[in-house]
């Protein structure tokens, strides 16, 4: 060929292409393909969820298409888009495997921290959101700066076997009726403080008045909701009415610090502040679950909730520092989302069962009612978590209940 003239060379067959198939595929990728953004993968995932995404081509067929297009003088745009979609589907599969591994690791970590007998599952079959990164998982109150949470109760009962008939059990020492039935189920109304037996009591650890301190016994799942409400929590087994479900924990801060943080959270459109004002309208402390919390951090609001909040005292008997505990207000089905009313009053009310708004306490920083209550203000940005948005100082409620108040705060 070297010795041939120009005219002769044109008559000779072309030499083989020195590029390998791998080289051709690399050339195709460099010319025609860019790695997809997370937004592109999310759209493709939603198509796949709804069985609207194309089927995955065999690897050999995809490679052949890329090799052919890499050497083509004129590329068909429709054919090119098909190949790009196929490559994106493979990127989606890799991203999904990475997401599942991260969620599994997070699930293992929180179960090591949680230490309760019932497992916490993490489930996302809705989108590509990974584990939350801004919250440190804890299983009990974290004392904020300058705060000490007492853990040495000054007194305890001398019962050998606490029962509903015991006259000197912890609840009655505090001036209240026993809170639990013989089966460990709640038997009192909202607004009734619960005094469990503590470390100074003479009764055994099997005492019927030790419920919350034994930990969560129902299996729950932190899961991604499919109605735009971000993360939620659902029951993974049937929960009977009156059962203890979970504690609401976070960082305990002073009310002054809460006011400062509240202003910043309001500006960000997000807050998890919960005032501990059961004992006094001018509460001394607030629980902030924004950066420290447990699975209760993810429980969504409902105007028709299946959980109620109670103040529980065990080893800390400071009336201003109750543990916030959520109990089932009715039977809860397996798979049902668990919810509580973010504005629930902890004082007893004739209208409590009807979820009337007359007993609700408004957002921190707004004018308080005169009624003693524990309250939360948990506003989440719709772009991230999808629960209420704020506009003109009003927060829309999206719980979907028949008796929805439409405005949360």
């Amino acid at each position: 060929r070297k010795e041939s003239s120009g005219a002769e060379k044109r008559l000779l067959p072309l030499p083989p292409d020195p590029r390998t198939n791998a080289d051709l595929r690399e050339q195709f990728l460099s010319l025609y393909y860019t790695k997809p953004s997370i937004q592109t993968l999310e759209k493709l995932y939603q198509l796949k969820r709804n069985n609207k995404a194309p089927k995955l081509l065999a690897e050999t067929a995809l490679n052949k298409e890329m090799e052919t297009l890499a050497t083509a003088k004129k590329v068909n745009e429709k054919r090119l888009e098909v190949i790009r979609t196929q490559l994106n589907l493979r990127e989606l599969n890799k991203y999904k495997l990475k997401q599942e591994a991260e969620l599994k690791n997070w699930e293992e970590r929180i179960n090591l921290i949680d230490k309760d007998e019932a497992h916490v599952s993490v489930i996302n079959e809705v989108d590509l959101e990974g584990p939350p990164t801004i919250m440190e998982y804890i299983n009990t109150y974290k004392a904020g700066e300058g705060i000490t949470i007492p853990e040495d109760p000054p007194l305890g009962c001398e019962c050998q076997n606490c029962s509903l008939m015991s006259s000197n059990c912890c609840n009655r020492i505090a001036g209240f009726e026993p809170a639990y039935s013989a089966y460990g189920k709640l038997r009192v109304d909202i607004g009734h403080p619960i005094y469990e037996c503590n470390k100074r009591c003479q009764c055994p650890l099997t005492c019927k008045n030790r419920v919350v301190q034994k930990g969560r016994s129902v299996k729950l799942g932190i899961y991604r909701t499919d109605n735009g409400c971000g993360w939620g929590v659902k029951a993974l087994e049937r929960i009977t009415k009156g059962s203890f479900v979970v504690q609401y924990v976070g960082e305990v801060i002073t009310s002054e610090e809460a006011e400062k943080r509240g202003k910043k959270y309001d500006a960000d459109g997000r807050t998890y502040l919960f005032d501990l004002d059961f004992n006094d309208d001018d509460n001394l402390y607030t629980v902030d679950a924004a950066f420290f919390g447990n699975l209760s951090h993810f429980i969504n609001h409902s105007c028709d909730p299946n959980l109620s909040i109670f103040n529980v005292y065990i080893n800390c008997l400071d009336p201003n520092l109750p543990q916030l505990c959520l109990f089932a207000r009715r039977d809860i089905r397996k798979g049902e989302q668990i919810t509580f009313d973010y504005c629930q009053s902890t004082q007893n009310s004739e209208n409590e069962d009807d979820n009337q708004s007359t007993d609700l306490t408004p957002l921190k920083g707004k004018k308080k009612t005169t009624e003693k209550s524990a309250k939360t203000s948990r506003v989440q940005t719709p772009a991230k978590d999808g629960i209420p948005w704020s506009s003109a100082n009003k927060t829309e409620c999206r719980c979907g209940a028949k008796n929805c108040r439409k405005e949360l705060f």
Side-chain angles (χ1 to χ4, degrees):
R1 190 175 183 88
K2 289 181 180 179
E3 297 174 353
S4 302
S5 65
E8 291 173 335
K9 283 182 181 179
R10 285 193 289 273
L11 298 174
L12 293 174
L14 290 172
D17 193 330
R19 296 173 296 178
T20 66
N21 288 342
D23 291 335
L24 292 173
R25 293 194 294 272
E26 283 296 323
Q27 180 177 329
F28 172 87
L29 294 173
S30 64
L31 289 173
Y32 302 116
Y33 185 68
T34 303
K35 287 286 183 73
S37 65
I38 182 61
Q39 291 81 7
T40 299
L41 291 180
E42 186 67 66
K43 290 178 181 177
L44 190 56
Y45 179 70
Q46 296 307 322
L47 289 174
K48 192 174 179 180
R49 279 187 70 222
N50 295 304
N51 297 317
K52 293 182 179 179
K55 291 183 178 179
L56 205 63
L57 279 177
E59 198 71 22
T60 53
L62 177 63
N63 288 342
K64 186 174 178 59
E65 284 290 328
M66 287 194 290
E67 293 157 13
T68 302
L69 289 172
T71 57
K73 292 182 178 180
K74 186 176 181 181
V75 176
N76 182 292
E77 285 298 325
K78 287 185 178 180
R79 191 176 175 190
L80 186 60
E81 192 58 36
V82 168
I83 301 307
R84 285 172 176 156
T85 301
Q86 286 295 318
L87 291 168
N88 285 348
L89 281 170
R90 282 159 172 77
E91 290 297 320
L92 173 60
N93 289 343
K94 288 191 286 187
Y95 193 95
K96 188 63 180 170
L97 287 173
K98 177 174 173 286
Q99 177 210 27
E100 289 170 353
E102 290 175 348
L103 290 174
K104 189 65 178 177
N105 288 338
W106 187 56
E107 178 182 310
E108 291 173 356
R109 289 202 308 273
I110 65 178
N111 278 286
L112 284 174
I113 296 167
D114 215 52
K115 297 180 181 178
D116 289 323
E117 65 178 70
H119 189 79
V120 179
S121 298
V122 178
I123 307 156
N124 187 355
E125 299 171 341
V126 171
D127 57 27
L128 299 179
E129 187 78 11
T133 56
I134 64 169
M135 187 199 78
E136 180 180 333
Y137 201 94
I138 58 177
N139 66 350
T140 188
Y141 281 162
K142 174 183 172 64
E145 185 177 354
I147 292 176
T148 301
I149 301 175
E151 286 294 325
D152 190 18
L155 75 165
C157 72
E158 298 180 356
C159 306
Q160 296 301 310
N161 185 22
C162 299
S163 70
L164 294 175
M165 305 306 295
S166 301
S167 59
N168 293 313
C169 196
C170 291
N171 280 289
R172 286 204 166 98
I173 291 174
F176 298 94
E177 285 297 304
Y180 304 124
S181 71
Y183 301 100
K185 305 300 182 187
L186 204 64
R187 60 184 293 272
V188 294
D189 295 326
I190 290 173
H192 191 295
I194 300 170
Y195 287 84
E196 290 197 1
C197 291
N198 58 54
K199 62 173 70 173
R200 284 192 177 272
C201 295
Q202 301 297 312
C203 57
L205 295 179
T206 55
C207 169
K208 300 299 183 183
N209 195 39
R210 298 179 186 268
V211 174
V212 169
Q213 62 195 270
K214 290 179 180 178
R216 180 178 48 80
S217 61
V218 294
K219 294 177 183 178
L220 299 173
I222 301 171
Y223 78 111
R224 199 71 176 165
T225 64
D226 59 3
N227 61 352
C229 287
W231 292 100
V233 181
K234 64 181 175 181
L236 297 183
E237 60 180 299
R238 184 175 180 272
I239 303 174
T240 56
K241 179 180 178 180
S243 297
F244 166 61
V245 178
V246 68
Q247 290 190 58
Y248 187 92
V249 302
E251 182 185 9
V252 179
I253 58 177
T254 63
S255 57
E256 291 79 12
E257 177 64 20
E259 291 295 338
K260 294 177 185 176
R261 294 188 187 185
K263 291 176 182 177
K264 183 179 185 304
Y265 293 160
D266 287 346
D268 294 340
R270 179 189 298 271
T271 180
Y272 290 85
L273 298 174
F274 198 131
D275 286 344
L276 298 178
D277 59 356
F278 173 77
N279 184 59
D280 193 337
D281 283 335
D282 297 322
N283 60 292
L284 300 177
Y285 307 109
T286 295
V287 177
D288 183 359
F291 300 105
F292 300 92
N294 64 351
L295 64 85
S296 65
H297 171 101
F298 304 101
I299 299 178
N300 284 321
H301 162 82
S302 176
C303 295
D304 184 20
N306 48 27
L307 302 179
S308 293
I309 311 162
F310 284 79
N311 297 278
V312 179
Y313 299 90
I314 307 175
N315 291 319
C316 175
L317 297 181
D318 184 338
N320 294 305
L321 281 171
Q323 293 176 224
L324 299 171
C325 299
L326 295 159
F327 289 80
R329 61 188 293 141
R330 58 172 173 77
D331 289 345
I332 301 172
R333 303 183 310 276
K334 179 180 178 180
E336 182 180 349
Q337 181 173 191
I338 61 172
T339 58
F340 71 95
D341 189 338
Y342 287 0
C343 296
Q344 181 215 296
S345 166
T346 56
Q347 283 294 100
N348 199 1
S349 168
E350 293 179 359
N351 294 324
E352 187 61 46
D353 289 337
D354 296 326
N355 293 295
Q356 298 296 321
S357 61
T358 54
D359 298 318
L360 305 178
T361 311
L363 196 65
K364 171 175 273 298
K366 305 288 183 71
K367 184 178 179 182
K368 293 183 179 179
T369 61
T370 57
E371 183 173 42
K372 297 177 183 179
S373 62
K375 62 178 180 297
T376 64
S377 57
R378 294 157 45 95
V379 182
Q380 300 177 312
T381 56
K384 185 70 176 172
D385 290 307
I387 302 184
W389 52 267
S390 296
S391 177
N393 297 322
K394 293 181 180 180
T395 302
E396 179 192 19
C397 178
R398 298 181 178 180
C399 73
K402 291 181 180 179
N403 62 335
C404 180
R405 297 189 295 269
K406 305 304 180 184
E407 292 178 4
L408 184 51
F409 303 113

